[in-house]
Amino acid sequence: LLEWRLALELKERGMIDGVFPIMIGDKDANGIYSSYFRDGCNPCPRSIVVHSVETKLREHLDRQGLGLPYEDDVTISSILNAITSNQGGYLRGEMSSSLTATVTGIMNMVNNFKQARRKRFSTNSV
């Protein structure tokens, strides 16, 4: 939860370009993974704030000289919703083909961010 919270905070600050969550379905007796959303694997957390996570977040930000979080006291459900709203990957079906698709998705995302960054810097240097 802390890592998700920190990733969202850094993305909001423009310090990272994206978050790529990997949603994993349930594994059946044959080793086949189900569909994360269709089969109800997505948890439904309560709308509560975990104060120990918020405290640790502030410690990490302070240690890096980044000040306070942009948003205080974010609930578990808000964090999960924000993470899963990012385009990510899914482990479903057979493991090796699913991993290949997920790795390809991560590589595509990184390449898209690199291209966008190059374009942004080349436009700014003119």
Side-chain angles (χ1 to χ4, degrees), residues 37-108:
F37 286 111
R38 187 191 69 218
D39 295 334
C41 299
N42 191 37
C44 297
R46 296 186 330 209
S47 291
I48 60 170
V49 174
V50 179
H51 294 286
S52 60
V53 169
E54 295 298 306
T55 299
K56 282 292 189 187
L57 174 71
R58 286 185 197 92
E59 289 173 8
H60 285 291
L61 294 174
D62 187 55
R63 194 174 307 127
Q64 297 301 318
L66 298 173
L68 296 172
Y70 282 1
E71 188 177 354
D72 277 329
D73 297 331
V74 179
T75 66
I76 298 171
S77 59
S78 295
I79 295 168
L80 180 63
N81 288 338
I83 284 291
T84 56
S85 72
N86 288 275
Q87 183 60 43
Y90 300 92
L91 287 186
R92 75 177 152 235
E94 197 272 326
M95 175 62 85
S96 66
S97 61
S98 190
L99 281 176
T100 299
T102 300
V103 169
T104 299
I106 293 169
M107 290 171 38
N108 289 338

